[in-house]
Amino acid sequence: MRPTRRHELPPDKARVHRRASRLEWLTLVYLASAIVLIRLTMGASQAMKVAWLEDMLSLIPAATFLVAARLRDRAPDAEHPYGWHRSISIAYLISSVALLVMGAVLLFDSVTKLISFEHPTIGTVTLWGHHVWLGWLMIPAAAYSAFPAMVIGRMKLPLARELHDKVLFADAKMNKADWLTGCAAIAGVLGIAYGLWWADAVAAAIISADILHDGISNVRHAFADLMDTAPTRVDGSGRDPLPARVETEVEKLAWVERASARLREEGHVYFGEVFVVPRGGRVSAQAADDVAEMLARLDWRLHDVVVVPVAALDDEDDRPSDG
């Protein structure tokens, strides 16, 4: 049995990955400080409580990215001949399910408080001998937990696209959208200040619904990856054009009559087969190996592609026929 190659990232992508890892470490440190700050100021505000929990949830994608980064580069062995590349997909699923479950729980809690007409109370604290309404401290805390994260998220997006990393992309989208969390929490606190008791629960429901939406979207994409669906773009906007490009490049070869690529995603990279119909019905093993080497140079994501000569391809769905 021939195991797959170990290293999946070429040198230029490895540098990008190291930069992404540094950003994720920065994210963990920043979020830890934001979690502490909000916890010290959140009082009885439901919106601040949900914002605090969302910040804790935001630790999961960053942490799973870093754990998966250590696992994915392990050498293939007899029990793992395909390597550990799918650790990326598993990390994506874990973070997505966490978002989905917590979003649903928080939304239920917020709506329940709204329906029960629960009036939140925010007390005062003593600072330098003066009594200060705690809400005025909540507002800068909420802003700190949201807007720096938005900047970090924007920095991660191009790296996620370059690495074809869906965990990093989901994390970046969450960070980028944190301005909504901050604005909703601030609006809830200001609503309490002006006597609008329901504003706090409504703000919490908006934040919870945003978390739930992210969870549903990411779980759907994570399951699709694990079910070996056709490869998609990192942002989920459609199918990846790489399989079609592979077929076009292989069919340019003089000895190939037709070609059909069947690829699946394994974290950053693609595994799969290219079925080729050789002209004259015969092809040498060396020619097939040359095609595999050509595809490895075509795109770094084509990590392990097997070239399979077949007698014919099914015209209806481009799968190899039994004949």
Side-chain angles (χ1 to χ4, degrees), residues 72-310:
R72 67 174 177 78
D73 208 28
R74 285 187 177 181
D77 53 40
E79 292 189 2
H80 305 90
Y82 292 98
W84 296 72
H85 308 283
R86 277 242 167 120
S87 59
I88 304 292
S89 301
I90 294 171
Y92 186 29
L93 179 62
I94 291 172
S95 59
S96 301
V97 170
L99 281 174
L100 174 63
V101 173
M102 187 59 73
V105 171
L106 293 175
L107 182 59
F108 176 79
D109 188 44
S110 302
V111 171
T112 300
K113 284 180 167 52
L114 187 63
I115 294 174
S116 63
F117 297 94
E118 183 173 322
H119 291 55
T121 56
I122 299 179
T124 61
V125 293
T126 302
L127 293 177
W128 300 291
H130 300 280
H131 292 289
V132 179
W133 184 55
L134 190 58
W136 301 130
L137 301 181
M138 293 180 184
I139 292 173
Y144 174 73
S145 75
F147 295 106
M150 181 176 65
V151 175
I152 293 174
R154 287 183 178 276
M155 295 171 66
K156 292 178 186 177
L157 281 176
L159 304 183
R161 289 191 172 95
E162 191 168 351
L163 292 170
H164 192 75
D165 192 308
K166 293 182 178 179
V167 178
L168 184 61
F169 187 83
D171 186 29
K173 292 287 285 184
M174 284 178 59
N175 295 152
K176 185 182 173 185
D178 269 352
W179 67 270
L180 175 62
T181 300
C183 291
I186 291 170
V189 173
L190 290 176
I192 296 174
Y194 288 98
L196 304 175
W197 65 268
W198 48 264
D200 185 59
V202 168
I206 291 173
I207 300 170
S208 303
D210 182 57
I211 297 172
L212 181 61
H213 175 268
D214 285 342
I216 293 173
S217 175
N218 291 330
V219 165
R220 185 173 66 250
H221 291 308
F223 270 112
D225 287 349
L226 291 173
M227 288 297 293
D228 290 338
T229 56
T232 59
R233 300 177 190 272
V234 72
D235 59 1
S237 60
R239 287 195 178 186
D240 193 321
L242 184 57
R245 184 184 172 201
V246 166
E247 294 173 356
T248 300
E249 292 299 320
V250 173
E251 287 179 347
K252 289 179 180 179
L253 298 174
W255 62 270
V256 176
E257 182 177 331
R258 289 191 62 195
S260 176
R262 185 174 67 189
L263 303 179
R264 67 183 185 275
E265 294 184 63
E266 300 265 358
H268 296 127
V269 295
Y270 290 175
F271 284 59
E273 303 79 30
V274 177
F275 300 97
V276 296
V277 180
R279 298 186 189 278
R282 297 178 64 87
V283 61
S284 68
Q286 184 60 53
D289 285 345
D290 290 343
V291 174
E293 290 298 323
M294 177 194 75
L295 294 177
R297 294 191 299 269
L298 180 66
D299 192 293
W300 68 271
R301 292 174 295 165
L302 296 171
H303 186 72
D304 195 308
V305 179
V306 178
V307 178
V308 184
V310 294

